[in-house]
Amino acid sequence: MTSARKEKWSDLAIHGGEPAFPDFLHVGRPNVGDRTRFLERIDDALDRRWLSNNGPYVQQLEERLAQLCGVRHCVAVANGTLALALAAAVTSQQGVVPNPKVLLPSLTFIATAHAFHWLGIEPVFLDIDPETLTLSPDRVREHLQRYGASEVMGICGVHLFGEVGGAAALEDVAEAAQAPLLFDASHALTNAFVGERGLRRVGQFGAMEAFSLHATKFVGCGEGGAVVTNDQEAAEALRQLRNFGYASDGLVKQAGMNAKMSELAAAMGLSMLEQVDRFIASNRANYEAYREHLQPLPGIRLRPQDCDHSNCQYVVIEVDPQQAGLHRDALVGVLRAERVLARPYFSPPCHQTPPYQRQPQGPLPVTEHFAQRLLALPTGETINDSHIEMIAHILKLATIRAAKAA
Ligand code: T4K
């Protein structure tokens, strides 16, 4: 339900009008899979009295995720941050580098950087490509040419907002420098890219790809994550690391940790995976509705999506403060007053946060440009066309008056 249509600028809630929505609209509101199947699985797990430690649901989830990505191995873990950290640890072990560094973008969720930092791997933030919002292959090449690849334990690309277009070019640069390449694929489960090598699904890029299966993700387990790879040895090392370093013979082979996924989380993931077609259909319909309703708005540009090959989980607009007449952060305030919790993902970018801001770093103009302008809008099954029409209408009322006044 939305409240009566707002006719003019002064009807906006930020100026004292009635909020447009009775309840808050969230970015990241979880979709819900098949409830009956989920509860049946929970019952089964309780009857079996097997709740963790590589149980049957975890194994089924791993099989299905590997199949979905078209890769040989999947290792499910407790969350996406640990998925990245374990992938980083395995990569570090494969080629021991003193004082290791990782090249990665700053425009990402903070966990991408933390996962490496916790292992004593220093994040080196490089700028992104404005088209794909992914680590710029040119900046990576320049860095490797200037400083050499010897200090770098790897490169970590991020398929930001599910965008996969920049992944193949990063592979070329990494291959030329013989630097291991990982991807943070947290936003991109089921996505694909059609390029020179035909259609490649996310999961098949680089040496390993890490997913978050957090509640807010396209497929969520509440908390969960997974690493996929075609490398048998890496998969075995990941399995050991997530289970205190135990190998299949029951002996501890390395200093692992506890990163295991529980059966309850896997039961949820399986019930979500059974519904991915439904989730994709509703996300795509919402994306198309935003495209239609936002079209005539000056200063507001919807980030493009290849809807045929994307889960469309993120609807992100770019706000040009000159043309729109107000800054992205002012729009966040306007929307919040209407009970629309739009999120300025990812602002501040990692390199401007306390853990990383003192590190030596080069200029990141493209990152900083987009960190000031991007705004994620609510989507998912709790959002429908009338919500989207109203959100677009609010943006219109806020920007048209501001643009005239500017
Ligand atoms: N790499 C990338 C690129 C990532 O985006 C993430 C996670 C990771 C790595 C790390 O993966 P995990 O270790 O988390 O598996 C949220 C999520 O907490 C985080 O998982 C996610 N990225 C990030 C993009 O978004 P916040 O701090 O922005 O928001 P949060 O968790 O408070 O929730 C967002 C909105 O969702 C809120 O408005 C409320 C709503 N919500 C949330 C939950 C948990 C619900 O409606 N229901 C819920 O159950 O981080």
Side-chain angles (χ1 to χ4, degrees), residues 4 195 369 381:
H369 172 92
E381 288 197 313

Side-chain angles (χ1 to χ4, degrees), residues 26-30 78-82 84 108-109 111-112 158 160 184 186-187 211-217 222-225 314 341 343 345-346:
H26 296 271
V27 170
R29 197 61 145 177
N79 59 57
T81 310
L82 283 168
L84 268 173
T108 177
F109 188 57
T112 315
V158 179
L160 196 74
D184 179 341
S186 294
H187 298 176
F211 293 99
S212 164
L213 301 171
H214 180 256
T216 55
K217 291 295 179 285
E223 291 283 354
Y314 294 87
L341 298 181
R343 306 291 294 243
Y345 288 146
F346 286 100

Side-chain angles (χ1 to χ4, degrees), residues 14 22 89 92 103 129 156 160 210-211 260 263-264 300 311 320 340 342 351:
I14 201 155
S92 287
L103 309 184
D129 180 299
C156 180
L160 196 74
F211 293 99
K260 297 189 283 346
E263 284 290 274
L264 308 184
I300 304 272
N311 58 35
D320 177 333
V340 179
H351 72 285

Side-chain angles (χ1 to χ4, degrees), residues 50-68:
W50 196 273
L51 301 178
S52 186
N53 292 20
N54 203 25
Y57 286 152
V58 165
Q59 292 180 35
Q60 276 176 39
L61 184 72
E62 290 179 340
E63 258 172 49
R64 304 238 169 114
L65 286 172
Q67 222 172 25
L68 198 59

